[in-house]
Amino acid sequence: MKKHDNIFAAPLNKVTDFKFDESVVDVFPDMIQRSVPGYESIIHAIGELAAMKVTDGSRVYDLGCSLGAASLSVARATEKKSCEIIGIDSSEAMVDRCKRIVQTFSLPNPVRVEQGMAQDIQIDNASMVIMNFTLQFIPPADRESLLKRIFDGLNPGGILVLSEKIRHPSVAGNELLIDLHHQFKRNNGYSELEVSQKRASLEKVMLTDTYAEHEQRLSNAGFDEVVMWFKCYNFTSIVALKR
């Protein structure tokens, strides 16, 4: 049974930086569904993209796999292909829970889950790499080199799926999108206190970029095409292609 997210429901004496610890892992499915517009559509589309782009004998890397939703979507969509699916997450609590989750399914292509930093993972023989709301938690100074390493590790024809919360280039536009997102959360049952405390907790941890910054960085890394396929409020998902 999915647990209800009430981490920020009570007033906190001090709002600490957000961490993917055991308390977050316990409520993560509820948290992500009530906080990220279009999340289920993105997970479904990752499976559709995998069916199109994953090749026999290649690898799929899910960097920042959390509880394995994207990895499982790929595994279910590639039943007629033989591929290696590798989920990576820096959180020990996430990795432990994800391992237990994926083991409950009988999958044509099993998911291997490992703990590690995305910046340290060697990408090789990949037809698909997924970063589903992960890059925004990586130090900005490390982002371009990570994307270059992903590009180098992708086979020709491979893709990177990059989903991110983005920042509008103007202050007024950015505040409008934030207001719409906060209303989305209120509509999903979060209180004003929860919205405020969660925002404060993420302020120094989740550092967002504009779409133009993402596009330029992907181009600098070597990607030939950068396609925004999804956007709702300040959330987007991008497919970057290596010809």
Side-chain angles (χ1 to χ4, degrees):
M1 182 177 176
K2 184 165 65 175
K3 294 185 179 180
H4 189 72
D5 172 25
N6 60 3
I7 291 174
F8 295 98
L12 300 172
N13 292 328
K14 181 182 179 183
V15 179
T16 58
D17 289 347
F18 189 87
K19 295 180 181 178
F20 291 96
D21 56 16
E22 195 69 42
S23 65
V24 169
V25 171
D26 280 342
V27 299
F28 189 73
D30 182 65
M31 176 186 287
I32 202 81
Q33 185 176 19
R34 294 166 64 205
S35 300
V36 179
Y39 184 77
E40 290 183 0
S41 296
I42 291 170
I43 294 298
H44 176 75
I46 285 171
E48 297 288 321
L49 287 162
M52 290 187 284
K53 293 294 186 179
V54 172
T55 56
D56 276 316
S58 69
R59 294 190 178 111
V60 177
Y61 294 85
D62 183 4
L63 304 181
C65 63
S66 61
L67 297 183
S71 292
L72 289 169
S73 185
V74 171
R76 294 175 181 128
T78 55
E79 60 180 343
K80 296 181 180 179
K81 302 175 184 180
S82 176
C83 63
E84 186 178 3
I85 304 169
I86 304 165
I88 305 292
D89 204 282
S90 62
S91 164
E92 182 179 1
M94 280 288 189
V95 168
D96 289 345
R97 189 72 58 88
C98 187
K99 284 180 177 178
R100 297 205 298 271
I101 289 171
V102 299
Q103 287 170 359
T104 64
F105 296 95
S106 178
L107 300 169
N109 290 298
V111 178
R112 187 173 89 238
V113 184
E114 300 176 356
Q115 186 178 0
M117 303 292 289
Q119 304 95 304
D120 300 329
I121 301 303
Q122 181 62 42
I123 308 294
D124 183 51
N125 187 31
S127 56
M128 184 177 192
V129 177
I130 304 157
M131 295 190 76
N132 216 26
F133 304 103
T134 299
L135 193 66
Q136 60 202 23
F137 291 104
I138 289 173
D142 295 341
R143 294 176 186 180
E144 187 157 336
S145 60
L146 171 57
L147 293 177
K148 180 65 168 67
R149 195 144 38 79
I150 290 171
F151 177 83
D152 291 341
L154 278 167
N155 298 332
I159 62 169
L160 166 65
V161 180
L162 178 66
S163 306
E164 288 279 289
K165 185 178 182 180
I166 59 173
R167 187 182 74 254
H168 195 273
S170 75
V171 173
N174 197 53
E175 286 301 317
L176 173 63
L177 293 177
I178 289 171
D179 289 345
L180 284 167
H181 178 225
H182 286 176
Q183 188 58 45
F184 171 85
K185 295 175 83 170
R186 293 185 198 102
N187 292 343
N188 283 326
Y190 284 115
S191 68
E192 293 292 343
L193 178 65
E194 287 174 293
V195 170
S196 175
Q197 292 190 143
K198 177 78 173 290
R199 184 179 187 180
S201 180
L202 285 167
E203 191 173 24
K204 296 179 182 178
V205 178
M206 187 174 69
L207 304 176
T208 58
D209 296 309
T210 66
Y211 177 74
E213 287 170 332
H214 282 295
E215 190 174 39
Q216 185 61 59
R217 192 185 290 125
L218 289 163
S219 178
N220 291 347
F223 287 96
D224 302 287
E225 296 284 348
V226 178
V227 182
M228 179 194 291
W229 74 268
F230 173 89
K231 187 176 187 299
C232 184
Y233 307 147
N234 43 0
F235 291 81
T236 188
S237 190
I238 301 162
V239 179
L241 299 92
K242 179 176 180 176
R243 287 179 183 163

